[in-house]
Amino acid sequence: MIKDMLLRAKKIDLIIIALLLCFMAISTIVIYSATHNTTKFAGLHVNNLVMFSAMFVPMLILAMLDYRGIVRHLSVILYVIGILLLIFVMFKGMNINGSQRWINLHFMQFQPSELAKIFVILLLAKMLENRKGEYLRLFQDILPMIVVMGIPCLMVMNQPDLGTSIVFVCILIGMLWIGKIRIKHGLIGLFGIVGIIGSITMLYFVDVPLFNKIVKPHQLHRIQTFINPASDPDQSYHVLNSIKAVSSGELMGEGFLHGKMVQSGYIPYDYADSIYVVIGEEFGFVGSAVLLLLYFFLIYRMIRIAMASEDVAGSYLIIGVISMFTLQIFENIAMHTGLMPLTGIALPFVSYGGSSLMTNMLSMGLVLSVSVHQSKPFHFGEE
């Protein structure tokens, strides 16, 4: 037993571990810069370092477990647990700034929608594995997968949390793409999405009361300020200041602890969702490029593991994780540079947040599990 555990430990991808350690260092340093001169959040960088270090333990434990057992025997149970947690949040969740997304665990504010993303990936991987590499069927495969994704997606959107709900959609699209969806079915989905967006847009001009039931006022306001930030400077305060801060960083940045916009408190949530602004202002283009390169190497390494996997479930699982990270990285950086509307979405491994960090580290535990077990036969529960 001990010998087997040691053999598994030797197979853990050390490059991914090294990349995660780099993210831990960057996150802690930047959070310190964002919070060191505030009373309320002073010492938050220490909490981040403790949480990050602690989360390596469940990540490595998960890496030692065979992901195939989780996908084939626990994915449905975990998915149901995720839905029950989202239902609990709907009725008993904490309401912060108009959003009801959290459960108060006293030692932390737990956001079930973060964990639900992993559970959706696991169940979709199980459904795709059942096809054994064959083309997906519209009614027997694709529609059930849409339902699996759609239930938590709609529940999260109702919280409201548009950013996380978009992540669910991106996970589905990425996994369907790799799962061999037919071109005609993909086109049907594309035209369907375009049709829905077009219909909702038409309602804005034809039936405003019905439009307001579908698109919440704050969501419409964000879209309007994204299209024309100058139309409402008060509402676009966050975005305009973020763009100004990132642009002032230029090539090399203004220096650690010397970002004028950040240190003056002009950037809301600069330790969490807006942490990229701190990097852009204080470390400039070079700092931003280094961060993006680290993300590139992480995703590239995951792709290599997925391609080397002899089990399709492992490949599908990793593609789901890659899709989740890619959307979050793009959306977070784009919304602070004026390329996308502002939504509440964290920058993976860098933003401060217990729930998002837990989800990201557990996701990496599953990826490492694929790496560790990719050439080892699975026996427990094998049909």
Side-chain angles (χ1 to χ4, degrees):
M1 182 67 177
I2 297 177
K3 184 179 179 181
D4 187 47
M5 291 290 288
L6 290 174
L7 289 174
R8 294 182 188 182
K10 290 180 180 179
K11 294 182 179 180
I12 288 180
D13 195 304
L14 296 180
I15 294 178
I16 287 182
I17 299 297
L19 289 169
L20 292 178
L21 290 173
C22 289
F23 283 122
M24 181 173 70
I26 291 171
S27 177
T28 303
I29 291 170
V30 179
I31 289 172
Y32 173 75
S33 177
T35 60
H36 78 283
N37 57 359
T38 64
T39 303
K40 183 179 179 181
F41 299 112
L44 212 61
H45 65 289
V46 177
N47 293 346
N48 181 74
L49 185 60
V50 171
M51 285 194 305
F52 225 123
S53 302
M55 285 310 302
F56 269 94
V57 176
M59 182 193 75
L60 293 174
I61 291 174
L62 192 55
M64 294 295 100
L65 300 176
D66 198 322
Y67 71 93
R68 290 168 290 192
I70 299 173
V71 170
R72 296 172 189 176
H73 302 286
L74 296 177
S75 57
V76 175
I77 297 172
L78 292 173
Y79 178 81
V80 172
I81 291 174
I83 298 299
L84 292 176
L85 287 172
L86 291 175
I87 293 174
F88 181 85
V89 169
M90 190 183 301
F91 295 101
K92 298 290 184 178
M94 294 176 60
N95 192 308
I96 302 176
N97 296 329
S99 296
Q100 193 162 318
R101 309 176 188 175
W102 299 270
I103 297 175
N104 187 3
L105 299 180
H106 300 293
F107 62 92
M108 69 174 289
Q109 295 171 357
F110 172 59
Q111 190 173 347
S113 59
E114 289 290 330
L115 207 53
K117 292 184 293 189
I118 299 181
F119 298 160
V120 167
I121 291 172
L122 288 170
L123 185 51
L124 292 180
K126 174 182 173 65
M127 297 171 74
L128 287 171
E129 182 190 28
N130 293 336
R131 287 299 296 153
K132 302 186 185 302
E134 298 293 329
Y135 278 107
L136 299 176
R137 300 161 296 182
L138 179 60
F139 294 103
Q140 298 96 325
D141 303 312
I142 298 175
L143 289 182
M145 290 178 68
I146 292 175
V147 171
V148 165
M149 180 280 301
I151 293 173
C153 179
L154 293 174
M155 295 175 73
V156 170
M157 189 179 295
N158 189 57
Q159 291 179 351
D161 186 356
L162 181 61
T164 302
S165 61
I166 294 175
V167 176
F168 282 105
V169 177
C170 189
I171 288 171
L172 176 68
I173 292 174
M175 296 184 74
L176 283 176
W177 177 41
I178 298 300
K180 295 189 70 172
I181 186 173
R182 296 181 185 274
I183 295 178
K184 62 179 181 181
H185 294 157
L187 291 175
I188 291 173
L190 177 62
F191 290 140
I193 293 173
V194 172
I196 291 172
I197 295 175
S199 300
I200 294 175
T201 305
M202 187 178 297
L203 284 177
Y204 178 75
F205 301 98
V206 177
D207 192 339
V208 176
L210 180 57
F211 175 85
N212 289 334
K213 292 180 179 179
I214 300 173
V215 180
K216 304 300 180 184
H218 74 278
Q219 294 172 339
L220 177 61
H221 214 159
R222 284 184 177 180
I223 295 173
Q224 290 172 333
T225 53
F226 164 69
I227 296 173
N228 183 17
S231 64
D232 191 344
D234 291 334
Q235 291 296 323
S236 56
Y237 169 89
H238 189 161
V239 177
L240 291 175
N241 283 351
S242 296
I243 295 173
K244 183 178 178 180
V246 172
S247 61
S248 68
E250 298 184 346
L251 180 63
M252 300 300 295
E254 296 186 358
F256 180 53
L257 304 180
H258 289 88
K260 295 182 179 64
M261 297 291 289
V262 170
Q263 301 303 324
S264 300
Y266 287 109
I267 309 298
Y269 306 107
D270 52 359
Y271 60 92
D273 293 352
S274 301
I275 201 164
Y276 172 74
V277 181
V278 184
I279 297 173
E281 184 178 29
E282 298 193 349
F283 300 96
F285 174 79
V286 172
S288 299
V290 169
L291 178 67
L292 290 176
L293 278 173
L294 289 174
Y295 281 129
F296 170 80
F297 288 133
L298 180 66
I299 292 173
Y300 172 76
R301 195 62 188 172
M302 287 193 285
I303 291 174
R304 289 291 301 269
I305 295 173
M307 292 177 64
S309 176
E310 299 177 3
D311 177 62
V312 291
S315 299
Y316 294 141
L317 191 157
I318 293 177
I319 293 302
V321 174
I322 291 174
S323 301
M324 177 179 71
F325 285 157
T326 302
L327 188 279
Q328 292 179 182
I329 294 165
F330 171 77
E331 173 62 23
N332 183 279
I333 295 176
M335 72 184 185
H336 289 112
T337 52
L339 300 177
M340 292 289 286
L342 191 67
T343 57
I345 195 165
L347 188 61
F349 303 109
V350 181
S351 293
Y352 181 84
S355 297
S356 60
L357 179 60
M358 177 182 66
T359 298
N360 295 335
M361 294 296 278
L362 291 179
S363 299
M364 294 313 303
L366 290 170
V367 172
L368 291 172
S369 177
V370 176
S371 176
V372 169
H373 299 92
Q374 60 187 7
S375 60
K376 182 179 179 181
F378 178 68
H379 299 292
F380 177 75
E382 187 84 343
E383 294 180 0

